[in-house]
Amino acid sequence: MPAHVIHDQLSTRLRALQPSVTLVISQLARKLTAEGRDIINMSSGELDFDTHEPIVRSAIAALHDGQTRYTDVGGTPALKAAIIAKFKRENQLTFTPRQIIASTGAKQIIFNALLATLEPEDEVTIPAPYWVSYPEMVRLTGAVPRYVEPGDQDDFKLTPARLEAALNANSRWLLINSPGNPSGALYNAQELRALGEVLATYPRVLVISDDIYEHIVYEGAFVSFATAVPSLAARTLTVNGVSKAYAMTGWRLGYAGGPEWLIDGLSLLQSQSTSCPSAIGQAGALAALNGPQALLPEWCGRLRQRRDVALSLLRQAPELKVATPPAAFYLFVDCRDLIGKRSRQAKQCMMTWRWPPIC
């Protein structure tokens, strides 16, 4: 892959930023596909299902109805009402309109929350393995990502002891992603409450609960952090969106509920950057949240079948080790036993190296 080139006239902060590996690979896959190559794109966290037709029809109707203008910065009143109803219905969380914001994807909300609250010496605690964008977002604010590695028996989840060891006077945020990308880890209520007991002694630490894979659960039950730990709800930003559950990644519509002071800050920042999210994206999200939800368990069942088939194939390779993820649509494969080894096919590929490789 060509080297990542940053011009020396860009800011120091931007020059230190790494591009999203996921998006770089996705762009390359699309380019090769357009050239006629047979490519399996395993980069982006994206369903290959089409957006449900009633959602599409609702958005088209909104277009014809003239819903193509600016809306309130944080989303239309109708969309905020739908988000409030969703949080109440599915997570037993109660919010007011002033505690809700809609943005151009959940990614924007997380970045804006970090930018709105972090100072240069602050730290953000990020359990590993993690989504590739978390640490780069933190670095872009000038703050410091602090990684917490899981133990061998932790099922890729943060434990109270490891959290306690990671926190200090500079700690500002804990990032909880459940179900997790890329591990598929799923916290239960008891595990979240145990983390909450540690956080209770660190009143400066806020919590981002990234729930974007909420509806993709095969075994166990999803619970949001603020639901499990209501005593810390005033310090929690609960982030979600329509991208994963409803196959609407390109609609770019995320939302969050949190304390008024933080939502006010996010709205202020958004007003001077992207303004409101897409009016048509909002119309689609409104239809998704308010419409029939029967497609969610149906899609989840199809994804479970795919997971099981992929697991059976991977486990035919003795050098590969992979646990059964209870949620999300990733397999986090331990390939350490293969590092340094070469198959005859790989050796030939290395001898005739070019980019992209043809093996």
Side-chain angles (χ1 to χ4, degrees), residues 32-33 36-40:
L32 296 176
T33 299
R37 300 279 294 278
D38 185 11
I39 301 295
I40 299 174

Side-chain angles (χ1 to χ4, degrees), residues 11-318:
S11 69
T12 302
R13 184 173 293 177
L14 193 62
R15 277 184 279 150
L17 190 68
Q18 295 297 313
S20 168
V21 176
T22 303
L23 297 183
V24 169
I25 296 174
S26 294
Q27 184 174 332
L28 177 61
R30 285 191 291 270
K31 176 178 180 293
L32 296 176
T33 299
E35 293 173 356
R37 300 279 294 278
D38 185 11
I39 301 295
I40 299 174
N41 184 359
M42 300 179 67
S43 56
S44 295
E46 184 172 47
L47 296 176
D48 62 349
F49 307 149
D50 291 331
T51 303
H52 200 41
E53 184 60 28
I55 298 172
V56 175
R57 289 199 301 267
S58 294
I60 292 172
L63 282 168
H64 290 305
D65 193 39
Q67 296 182 36
T68 57
R69 295 175 173 80
Y70 294 128
T71 72
D72 293 346
V73 168
T76 64
L79 178 57
K80 285 191 174 185
I83 294 168
I84 290 170
K86 178 265 180 247
F87 276 132
K88 185 69 173 177
R89 178 179 70 244
E90 298 180 352
N91 310 112
Q92 300 77 54
L93 295 174
T94 301
F95 293 103
T96 68
R98 282 210 42 203
Q99 294 177 298
I100 296 294
I101 189 168
S103 300
T104 307
K107 191 172 189 176
Q108 183 192 9
I109 293 172
I110 295 171
F111 176 68
N112 283 359
L114 299 173
L115 186 60
T117 55
L118 291 173
E119 302 293 347
E121 293 184 359
D122 286 339
E123 294 184 1
V124 176
T125 304
I126 304 175
Y130 47 81
W131 178 44
V132 294
S133 290
Y134 288 151
E136 297 306 318
M137 289 179 180
V138 174
R139 291 191 186 96
L140 195 55
T141 72
V144 181
R146 184 177 181 89
Y147 310 112
V148 183
E149 299 286 343
D152 291 339
Q153 306 303 316
D154 295 340
D155 295 326
F156 301 115
K157 289 184 280 190
L158 179 65
T159 64
R162 292 180 185 274
L163 175 60
E164 180 73 57
L167 295 178
N168 57 59
N170 290 331
S171 299
R172 186 61 170 139
W173 284 100
L174 167 65
L175 244 165
I176 289 287
N177 178 211
S178 173
N181 172 2
S183 68
L186 181 69
Y187 290 80
N188 61 40
Q190 182 178 354
E191 291 166 335
L192 293 175
R193 282 194 289 268
L195 297 178
E197 290 176 4
V198 176
L199 293 169
T201 62
Y202 292 85
R204 186 173 181 266
V205 179
L206 306 169
V207 179
I208 290 177
S209 182
D210 183 352
D211 299 353
I212 196 69
Y213 296 96
E214 171 185 7
H215 287 291
I216 305 173
V217 175
Y218 314 118
E219 291 90 26
F222 169 80
V223 60
S224 190
F225 183 86
T227 307
V229 195
S231 60
L232 296 185
R235 290 160 51 185
T236 302
L237 182 68
T238 303
V239 181
N240 213 316
V242 297
S243 294
K244 311 299 182 180
Y246 300 96
M248 295 174 66
T249 50
W251 295 69
R252 306 313 303 134
L253 200 293
Y255 58 84
E260 283 189 13
W261 68 267
L262 180 56
I263 298 301
D264 285 346
L266 299 186
S267 297
L268 175 62
L269 183 55
Q270 191 162 295
S271 73
Q272 295 291 6
S273 55
T274 57
S275 299
C276 64
S278 161
I280 302 308
Q282 291 187 64
L286 180 64
L289 295 175
N290 283 346
Q293 304 295 302
L295 81 161
L296 300 181
E298 176 190 338
W299 284 359
C300 193
R302 291 165 63 184
L303 291 171
R304 181 190 289 110
Q305 290 177 342
R306 295 181 183 186
R307 179 202 65 173
D308 294 344
V309 169
L311 284 171
S312 67
L313 292 172
L314 285 170
R315 286 171 177 163
Q316 294 176 28

